[in-house]
Amino acid sequence: MKVKRFLKKVGSLEISYLPEAPDHGWPELAVIVGKRVMPVAVGTEATALWHHPLDEAGFRALLKERYATEEKLVSA
């Protein structure tokens, strides 16, 4: 099933919104970094962030918060 993905630029970042993600059926908001799509919010939080997005620094902070442990594992 093909799902429509909406894209929006926030500063130098690209934000992706899926109204219904195929794997769990909830709205999903992600930040696209290079070729990686990194989900940062699901459900009502995702919808709220899509309609009232943070600035670039806010999305970078969200990425850092959600993926800090993964970054530590990669750099170890």
Side-chain angles (χ1 to χ4, degrees):
M1 178 172 82
K2 188 102 172 165
V3 178
K4 176 110 174 151
R5 179 182 300 274
F6 297 93
L7 300 173
K8 185 184 287 187
K9 289 289 275 181
V10 176
S12 65
L13 296 176
E14 193 167 23
I15 307 303
S16 163
Y17 178 73
L18 290 171
E20 190 176 316
D23 54 343
H24 51 72
W26 290 83
E28 181 177 276
L29 187 87
V31 177
I32 299 172
V33 179
K35 293 183 179 183
R36 287 185 67 184
V37 177
M38 303 174 75
V40 292
V42 176
T44 55
E45 181 186 12
T47 302
L49 284 171
W50 178 253
H51 292 292
H52 306 286
L54 303 171
D55 61 2
E56 183 177 349
F59 277 114
R60 288 192 184 279
L62 206 53
L63 273 174
K64 188 173 182 178
E65 173 189 314
R66 304 276 159 88
Y67 291 94
T69 54
E70 180 180 314
E71 200 173 285
K72 287 177 188 170
L73 290 173
V74 170
S75 63

